[in-house]
Amino acid sequence: MKKIITAIFTLCFIGSVQATEVAVVDFRAALLQSNMGQEASKQPREKVAQMDARLKSEQETIEASAKDLQRDELTLSEAEFKKRRQSLAEQQNRLRAMASDMQRQAKELEQQVIQSLTPKGEAALKSLIEERKLDLVVNRQLSLYANAGADITDELVKRLNEGN
């Protein structure tokens, strides 16, 4: 009798266990790596490059001023030295603020690109989920471990490129 009950319990337990199909994806990377993502991010990349060039130019100017101040330190009056050192400190503060503002602008530009591409990306991901009959898709950054076969980022990039 115990064997029959155990067999029935085992059959019921096996029937209740379902395999869960899980995949991971880096949605942001897939959007940006796709052809449409590369095209959409051309103009923002140019803006960031221009901002970076401006920042480097300002940095070179400040470095030249610092070298001049160091060179002239012994020949300047104490008041003039303090005045130039204060001016240099203000320039450095403006440069830091400029760099921070440029980083913020670069992030905003990237967010705008991602937002504009998200609907197409979601549609491609949905079709991929349906095709592979996935039960769960997790953002790759949130997973501790994922088998390489579970990562569908490259497949999503291909799907986005095909849809273009």
Side-chain angles (χ1 to χ4, degrees), residues 2-114:
K2 283 185 176 181
K3 290 182 181 180
I4 294 173
I5 292 174
T6 304
I8 293 172
F9 178 74
T10 304
L11 288 174
C12 290
F13 180 72
I14 291 172
S16 67
V17 175
Q18 293 180 336
T20 302
E21 292 295 323
V22 179
V24 294
V25 67
D26 188 341
F27 190 71
R28 179 188 155 282
L31 290 177
L32 294 175
Q33 290 172 9
S34 69
N35 292 339
M36 67 179 183
Q38 292 293 314
E39 186 64 35
S41 62
K42 275 185 184 176
Q43 187 177 13
R45 277 196 310 261
E46 289 173 5
K47 285 182 182 179
V48 170
Q50 289 171 355
M51 290 187 293
D52 190 44
R54 191 170 132 222
L55 186 66
K56 284 180 182 178
S57 172
E58 291 291 326
Q59 192 171 19
E60 289 170 0
T61 301
I62 290 173
E63 287 172 2
S65 295
K67 284 181 183 178
D68 290 347
L69 180 61
Q70 187 178 20
R71 182 191 67 224
D72 298 341
E73 180 178 3
L74 298 176
T75 59
L76 294 173
S77 68
E78 187 174 331
E80 181 63 25
F81 178 74
K82 284 183 180 180
K83 179 180 168 187
R84 285 178 58 183
R85 188 173 62 191
Q86 178 66 29
S87 173
L88 183 61
E90 289 171 2
Q91 288 175 336
Q92 289 171 333
N93 287 337
R94 282 194 303 270
L95 181 67
R96 280 191 284 278
M98 181 188 296
S100 175
D101 187 49
M102 288 179 181
Q103 287 177 340
R104 182 190 53 76
Q105 287 178 20
K107 284 182 182 181
E108 286 175 3
L109 289 170
E110 181 181 283
Q111 282 302 110
Q112 290 172 358
V113 168
I114 289 173

Side-chain angles (χ1 to χ4, degrees), residues 126-164:
K126 185 177 179 180
S127 71
L128 191 56
I129 290 169
E130 291 170 356
E131 180 182 301
R132 291 188 62 178
K133 296 180 173 86
L134 297 171
D135 298 315
L136 178 66
V137 177
V138 179
N139 188 331
R140 185 169 55 191
Q141 286 80 9
L142 299 177
S143 65
L144 294 176
Y145 170 77
N147 186 331
D151 191 338
I152 61 171
T153 304
D154 290 338
E155 286 183 60
L156 182 57
V157 171
K158 289 177 188 172
R159 182 79 43 110
L160 289 167
N161 289 342
E162 289 169 1
N164 244 356

